[in-house]
Amino acid sequence: MLLGQLNAAASPLSQEQVQKLQGLVAELNPIQQAWVSGYLAANANTAALGGAVGAAPSAGEAVALTILYGSQTGNAKGVAAKLKAQAESRGLAVKLVSMADYKPTALKKEKFITVVVATYGEGEPPEDAEALHEFLTTKKAPKLDGVKVAVIGLGDSSYEFFCQTAKDFEQRLNTLGAETIYQRADLDVDYEDEATTWITGALDAFEPDLKAQQGSSGGQVIAMPFAGSTTVASQYTKQNPFAAELGLVQKITGRDSTKDVRHVEISLEGSDISYIPGDSLGVYFLNDEARVDELLTHTQIDAASLVKVADEQLSIRDALIEKLELTQSYPGFVEKYAIATGTPQLLKLVEDKAAMHQYIEPRQIFDVVAQNPAKLDAQTLVDCLRKLQARLYSIASSQSEVEDEVHLTVALVEFDAFGREHLGGCSGYLARRAEEGCKVKVFSEHNDNFRLPTNDETPIIMVGPGTGIAPFRAFLQERDARGASGKNWLFFGNPHFTQDFLYQVEIQGYLKSGLLSKVDVAFSRDQAEKVYVQDKLRSNSKAIFEWLEAGAHFYVCGDANNMAKDVHQTLLEIIKENTGKSDEDAQQYLKDLRSANRYQKDVY
């Protein structure tokens, strides 16, 4: 029977369940539908046999190693999946759970816990870890005496509060009585090898007690479905990207704009890469050849010198262009370069963390070397650097609309410093150096924390100033392709209407067709008093609250440090204004929205 033919008489599902199922199936290609079909069949068979797929073990069942992950871009989730696979290969019972799906009250039943968590921004937990991160500081948090834990953190050492969330989790679990049985690892952006080493060591520490307790309870392995993604894993990954053809790169801000924003189209033809609105695309890039040549001059290195990067041998010039990070500064490079060159002023920075971060903030690695030239061996320079990392961009298209293409909205990072123009690594490459038709290495990164409602009748509110509009362009394309009846309300902001209204024609077209029910724009510099998206939210207080009460999902994309925080505060004010709730109760209202996946953020 076709899904469209389901009705109350013929189906054991409720009408609401049918609508949700129809919404999910609309997102899936035939291969994905077949996978889901097989998964549901296996799930039904397990249930028929008395299994408890996805449930926490009850008394008498196997004691499991619980892996809790909190992931912003998917990296921590990937490490958690590797940890699960390695544990299962040893015959250990495992529960893999996103912190967003984990009931904090279940902590009192745990005996073995690993935490895999990322840190982003200024030491903040990822979206899906926020609730558990906070719960551990409350009076409701249970005593964890006798519980064994191990924590691994992912972060970026160019930020001051490197891996702070992992440090928080370990400290809070220890305060509650849990015992750390394997040393915490704080991993930088180039984390894969160290993560593999940590996984082996952590499992070695857990295995004896786990196997002893599992032996006494029958050694049952608990089947836990991997939460979230409805896409089939591609053969093309961060470690094995697809060489895609770069198509259109078009400036979509005006000639007199203070911003240079590009609409980028990339072909995925010939790949098996699929994505869902809300996902990101990882893009690898080439460093500026002219600046690489300058760096070689400053270090007196012959461009043809052979070096090794991981297991690959190539010339130092090719390595610097293709393989190594030269734009984003980080303390580890400064420290290694200082020791390798014996530069006194850099060696002083190594002893002062605050001074180090102040030093690297305005400088790219190109600048550090240019301002501290020294003769260096080619391999020594390579060993000072970390591998080039792909940049992640929110996808600005739906495959329902563009099929084997993917679109991005890229703001060129450009600034003047030390007497010359500086460009961002990837944005500079895409906007200034890459030519149409060249090959760009890419992979998709799924984001299960930023998804359209499965029910197409659900209203949505989207707040996306600047390049934050990107995922909402994908949302609108998807809802248009689905014929979704749910109302859509967009808030967009930028400095000037005439210069910075990104995708203006498309947005006005959606408004005219009725797909967009409402659009509110905030062009901050078009009047004496600056107006931002949060001001537009505030002026629509009553209507926004009515939409929320009617079940609307609320989305925010863009700047994490200012805009997203201001929007959050405005939401609290809207709730208090329309309900008379206290600060605490308004906060709880938003937490409830978050728990129901009705308040989602994609911020950076």
Side-chain angles (χ1 to χ4, degrees):
M1 177 181 292
L2 295 175
L3 188 60
Q5 297 172 324
L6 287 174
N7 55 54
S11 168
L13 304 179
S14 68
Q15 187 58 39
E16 181 182 0
Q17 288 172 323
V18 169
Q19 290 172 345
K20 287 181 178 179
L21 186 56
Q22 288 172 329
L24 173 60
V25 171
E27 297 177 359
L28 307 180
N29 62 36
I31 294 173
Q32 294 166 340
Q33 290 177 20
W35 184 91
V36 171
S37 176
Y39 169 79
L40 291 175
N43 197 44
N45 289 339
T46 303
L49 293 169
V53 175
S58 60
E61 289 185 351
V63 174
L65 172 63
T66 297
I67 304 171
L68 298 174
Y69 69 87
S71 189
Q72 191 70 18
T73 63
N75 290 336
K77 181 178 178 180
V79 171
K82 289 179 182 177
L83 176 58
K84 173 179 181 284
Q86 289 294 317
E88 289 178 337
S89 72
R90 298 182 181 215
L92 301 177
V94 185
K95 292 187 296 176
L96 177 65
V97 192
S98 166
M99 292 183 186
D101 301 325
Y102 187 74
K103 292 184 178 180
T105 52
L107 277 171
K108 60 180 177 287
K109 300 177 183 177
E110 305 290 0
K111 293 188 177 181
F112 303 96
I113 300 173
T114 51
V115 171
V116 185
V117 68
T119 297
Y120 84 104
E122 299 305 316
E124 297 165 11
E127 296 287 301
D128 53 4
E130 282 185 358
L132 184 60
H133 184 259
E134 182 182 348
F135 174 81
L136 292 176
T137 65
T138 67
K139 293 180 180 178
K140 294 181 179 179
K143 291 295 182 185
L144 299 177
D145 297 332
V147 176
K148 292 178 167 51
V149 302
V151 178
I152 182 171
L154 277 65
D156 183 340
S157 63
S158 62
Y159 289 91
E160 183 176 359
F161 300 100
F162 175 55
C163 284
Q164 185 60 48
T165 304
K167 297 171 186 175
D168 290 347
F169 268 103
E170 184 175 61
Q171 182 269 320
R172 293 174 189 185
L173 290 168
N174 290 160
T175 298
L176 294 169
E179 175 194 357
T180 295
I181 66 163
Y182 191 68
Q183 183 176 358
R184 187 188 73 245
D186 298 332
L187 305 188
D188 211 341
V189 292
D190 186 10
Y191 61 86
E192 285 91 350
D193 292 343
E194 290 181 79
T196 299
T197 301
W198 185 90
I199 287 171
T200 300
L203 290 176
D204 286 346
F206 277 114
E207 187 169 5
D209 284 345
L210 260 171
K211 282 198 168 175
Q213 295 207 31
Q214 287 174 10
S216 65
S217 59
Q220 177 186 352
V221 175
I222 301 165
M224 293 296 295
F226 196 88
S229 179
T230 56
T231 60
V232 173
S234 168
Q235 65 179 303
Y236 297 107
T237 62
K238 182 178 181 180
Q239 292 74 33
N240 178 40
F242 174 68
E245 183 175 306
L246 180 64
L248 180 69
V249 179
Q250 181 178 24
K251 188 177 180 184
I252 54 175
T253 44
R255 181 181 301 174
D256 299 323
S257 174
T258 57
K259 300 182 176 185
D260 185 338
V261 177
R262 306 294 176 107
H263 172 74
V264 178
E265 297 183 359
I266 297 172
S267 172
L268 298 177
E269 186 175 357
S271 78
D272 61 351
I273 294 175
S274 63
Y275 60 87
I276 295 174
D279 287 344
S280 297
L281 190 77
V283 183
Y284 287 100
F285 58 95
L286 302 179
N287 284 311
D288 187 333
E289 293 185 18
R291 299 218 64 184
V292 165
D293 290 337
E294 290 176 13
L295 187 149
L296 290 170
T297 299
H298 291 312
T299 52
Q300 301 176 47
I301 295 174
D302 182 347
S305 300
L306 294 178
V307 295
K308 286 193 74 173
V309 179
D311 295 325
E312 184 178 359
Q313 187 176 57
L314 67 172
S315 74
I316 180 66
R317 187 175 188 271
D318 288 345
L320 292 173
I321 292 170
E322 302 171 15
K323 305 290 184 180
L324 299 167
E325 182 62 64
L326 296 175
T327 48
Q328 287 187 345
S329 292
Y330 53 98
F333 169 75
V334 177
E335 180 175 352
K336 290 177 182 178
Y337 186 78
I339 293 170
T341 61
T343 307
Q345 56 266 40
L346 295 183
L347 288 168
K348 284 182 182 178
L349 291 172
V350 175
E351 306 302 321
D352 187 338
K353 275 191 175 182
M356 172 72 83
H357 281 281
Q358 189 175 10
Y359 176 79
I360 66 174
E361 197 278 328
R363 289 174 172 82
Q364 296 181 333
I365 286 175
F366 288 121
D367 299 313
V368 177
V369 175
Q371 293 167 16
N372 302 278
K375 182 175 173 59
L376 208 59
D377 175 74
Q379 188 63 50
T380 301
L381 176 61
V382 168
D383 293 341
C384 289
L385 296 163
R386 66 187 183 193
K387 286 192 293 187
L388 185 146
Q389 297 297 308
R391 304 303 194 252
L392 289 176
Y393 293 99
S394 300
I395 291 174
S397 57
S398 163
Q399 283 191 299
S400 300
E401 171 86 13
V402 303
E403 297 180 344
D404 60 359
E405 287 186 352
V406 60
H407 297 175
L408 308 176
T409 310
V410 178
L412 173 63
V413 176
E414 52 183 337
F415 60 95
D416 290 325
F418 315 113
R420 68 182 300 165
E421 180 187 54
H422 288 60
L423 300 176
C426 194
S427 66
Y429 174 68
L430 291 173
R432 295 281 187 87
R433 301 192 298 277
E435 297 181 358
E436 185 175 332
C438 76
K439 296 295 185 181
V440 181
K441 293 179 179 178
V442 303
F443 60 94
S444 62
E445 193 74 77
H446 301 304
N447 181 2
D448 297 321
N449 299 315
F450 203 76
R451 289 284 184 252
L452 277 167
T454 54
N455 185 346
D456 284 343
E457 296 180 0
T458 302
I460 64 172
I461 301 170
M462 302 164 283
V463 182
T467 56
I469 189 68
F472 302 133
R473 181 176 185 263
F475 278 18
L476 290 168
Q477 286 185 357
E478 180 72 14
R479 287 204 128 185
D480 193 34
R482 283 191 204 173
S485 59
K487 296 189 295 182
N488 306 296
W489 189 352
L490 174 66
F491 287 83
F492 174 75
N494 240 349
H496 297 286
F497 171 81
T498 57
Q499 303 294 321
D500 305 305
F501 197 163
L502 308 183
Y503 303 114
Q504 177 184 354
V505 173
E506 292 181 21
I507 289 170
Q508 290 176 331
Y510 284 139
L511 191 61
K512 185 176 181 181
S513 72
L515 180 71
L516 267 171
S517 311
K518 298 186 71 172
V519 174
D520 279 86
V521 292
F523 294 104
S524 58
R525 306 312 197 267
D526 278 351
Q527 59 283 310
E529 185 176 348
K530 293 178 182 176
V531 178
Y532 299 105
V533 286
Q534 58 267 29
D535 299 311
K536 291 292 183 177
L537 290 168
R538 199 174 289 112
S539 65
N540 285 276
S541 172
K542 186 172 185 294
I544 286 170
F545 186 73
E546 288 173 351
W547 277 50
L548 291 176
E549 287 292 282
H553 288 214
F554 192 97
Y555 300 90
V556 184
C557 182
D559 170 52
N561 291 329
N562 297 302
M563 182 277 298
K565 291 178 180 177
D566 290 339
V567 167
H568 184 87
Q569 186 58 41
T570 302
L571 265 181
L572 288 173
E573 293 170 12
I574 287 171
I575 293 161
K576 290 192 291 184
E577 178 183 320
N578 287 276
T579 63
K581 290 181 182 291
S582 64
D583 283 341
E584 185 178 352
D585 288 342
Q587 288 277 13
Q588 188 59 50
Y589 186 99
L590 284 186
K591 287 178 184 176
D592 292 342
L593 288 183
R594 290 287 299 278
S595 297
N597 294 319
R598 290 180 50 209
Y599 177 24
Q600 299 183 34
K601 292 186 280 188
D602 177 12
V603 296
Y604 39 85

